[in-house]
Amino acid sequence: MKIRDLFDRKPFVFSYELFPPKPDSPIGKLYATLEAIRGLKPDYISITYNAGGAGGNRTLELASVIKNTYGIEPLAHLTAIQSTEASVDAFLAECKKSNIQNVLALRGDRNPSIVPQNVFRYASDLAAYIKANSDLNIVGAGYPEGHFESPDLQTDIENLRKKIDAGVTHINTQLFFDNEDFLRYRDLCRAKGIDVPVQAGIMPIVKKAQIERTVVLTGAKVPAPLAKIFQRFGDDPMALMDAGIAYATQQIVALRAEGVDGVHLYIMNNDFVARRIYENIGSLI
Ligand code: FAD
């Protein structure tokens, strides 16, 4: 199934992101997680590609298990920075073989452990190549607070337009902690004539180690109430878990009430967190 069609059929699309196990770890390590998530009515599951230089070649292996063993629609990430035409051709052939119909075309983060291929410069170049050479549904990334390399939000949204023109049919956003940032972004997209679905990325911050890593990596702004949560509960693992889940729940409830197209939940492979969130909002989705 092409994920774009889901947005025509449902008022609210709800999905989860997973990352593949390290190269020396069995895929089966994730079976329990997948089994748990299957019960949480995912519309689809996205699978990262070498995010943070963590080993990317297992994206399609995991996507195939999700599709063919668990019967859930996968969205396989792929990065331009690490791709050549030959490697994308091989990726597309593998998708066809495993009946994978959705790809998230990304530029990819620059990382000292990743040698850039310098073939596709932007995500839009990769999207255009995939569109010309396959029947895959193509998804793109969006940044409610602007991408860090962009001089301003307006310019970033103009560049987003190029991704849509290249064949991207819906946008998954970077995580954010202030819903106002997302709603402003959605409105700016609409004002620029970008009318594809924009799905909001939400990450529950439930561990101390996540706080700095996530904020540094994404540059997401931390609103005062969340900063206070980190200050007060940062050293109390159980309290931080409860508070992080409650904060993300509040964000999702408010976004659902605003009538947004959907939420993509970054769960860092933690099905316990996914279940707790689902218990809070199941009837809303
Ligand atoms: P692009 O759309 O190419 O944009 C990159 C920058 O270039 C932006 O500043 C944009 O404004 C600018 N730009 C774009 N097109 C043009 C143009 N034609 N002319 C001039 N400027 C232009 N990284 C991974 O390595 N693996 C993953 O699995 C992964 N998953 C992600 C999932 C989501 C939902 C998101 C939001 C990000 C993910 N990332 C992942 C991180 C992503 O690779 C980085 O944020 C990267 O820096 C930008 O990727 P992009 O696809 O948005 O790039």
Side-chain angles (χ1 to χ4, degrees):
M1 185 217 333
K2 293 191 171 174
I3 290 168
R4 177 62 184 80
D5 296 340
L6 278 171
F7 291 93
D8 293 332
R9 295 214 308 259
K10 299 191 70 186
F12 190 75
V13 170
F14 195 71
S15 53
Y16 301 90
E17 181 183 280
L18 294 180
F19 56 85
K22 295 234 160 66
D24 52 356
S25 196
I27 268 296
K29 211 179 145 194
L30 278 178
Y31 287 174
T33 305
L34 287 168
E35 199 60 58
I37 291 177
R38 178 155 62 178
L40 308 179
K41 300 214 182 89
D43 285 314
Y44 68 87
I45 296 177
S46 86
I47 309 104
T48 62
Y49 187 89
N50 206 9
N57 300 331
R58 309 193 75 186
T59 303
L60 287 183
E61 191 184 345
L62 180 56
S64 179
V65 169
I66 289 172
K67 173 89 184 199
N68 300 305
T69 307
Y70 287 88
I72 304 167
E73 209 53 52
L75 169 61
H77 298 200
L78 181 65
T79 62
I81 206 164
Q82 295 170 80
S83 294
T84 61
E85 290 192 355
S87 73
V88 179
D89 292 345
F91 182 94
L92 298 179
E94 191 59 38
C95 284
K96 200 167 186 181
K97 203 171 105 196
S98 303
N99 195 20
I100 293 162
Q101 291 174 277
N102 302 282
V103 61
L104 175 57
L106 296 150
R107 199 277 309 273
D109 269 332
R110 299 200 171 91
N111 184 306
S113 69
I114 292 169
V115 183
Q117 298 295 326
N118 299 320
V119 176
F120 302 103
R121 183 161 185 197
Y122 297 113
S124 53
D125 301 321
L126 179 62
Y129 186 82
I130 294 171
K131 185 164 170 68
N133 291 284
S134 77
D135 186 35
L136 289 183
N137 175 59
I138 309 167
V139 182
Y143 301 85
E145 298 176 66
H147 185 260
F148 68 98
E149 290 169 23
S150 228
D152 52 57
L153 189 55
Q154 292 284 351
T155 312
D156 201 30
I157 292 177
E158 274 152 31
N159 290 328
L160 181 70
R161 163 97 262 156
K162 295 172 191 158
K163 262 195 279 212
I164 311 297
D165 293 344
V168 160
T169 65
H170 107 253
I171 298 297
N172 265 3
T173 79
Q174 183 59 281
L175 63 94
F176 57 89
F177 300 116
D178 184 345
N179 284 1
E180 288 307 315
D181 289 325
F182 176 83
L183 297 171
R184 186 179 319 111
Y185 179 74
R186 181 190 63 170
D187 293 348
L188 283 171
C189 287
R190 299 293 181 250
K192 289 267 179 209
I194 295 172
D195 56 4
V196 300
V198 183
Q199 201 179 345
I202 297 292
M203 183 189 272
I205 301 291
V206 294
K207 289 186 182 159
K208 189 173 184 179
Q210 266 180 304
I211 300 174
E212 207 182 68
R213 200 175 52 218
T214 306
V215 173
V216 169
L217 216 80
T218 63
K221 194 174 72 203
V222 179
L226 185 59
K228 283 192 184 146
I229 288 176
F230 293 162
Q231 262 169 20
R232 184 154 306 266
F233 306 122
D235 291 318
D236 183 338
M238 280 175 71
L240 184 60
M241 173 72 73
D242 283 347
I245 287 169
Y247 191 90
T249 298
Q250 259 180 357
Q251 278 193 280
I252 298 168
V253 171
L255 290 167
R256 178 73 181 102
E258 286 283 350
V260 308
D261 296 313
V263 161
H264 189 58
L265 202 59
Y266 298 109
I267 55 167
M268 304 305 290
N269 291 11
N270 188 331
D271 55 86
F272 173 76
V273 170
R275 185 173 54 76
R276 293 267 315 263
I277 296 271
Y278 180 81
E279 280 167 3
N280 289 340
I281 53 120
S283 66
L284 310 186
I285 61 172

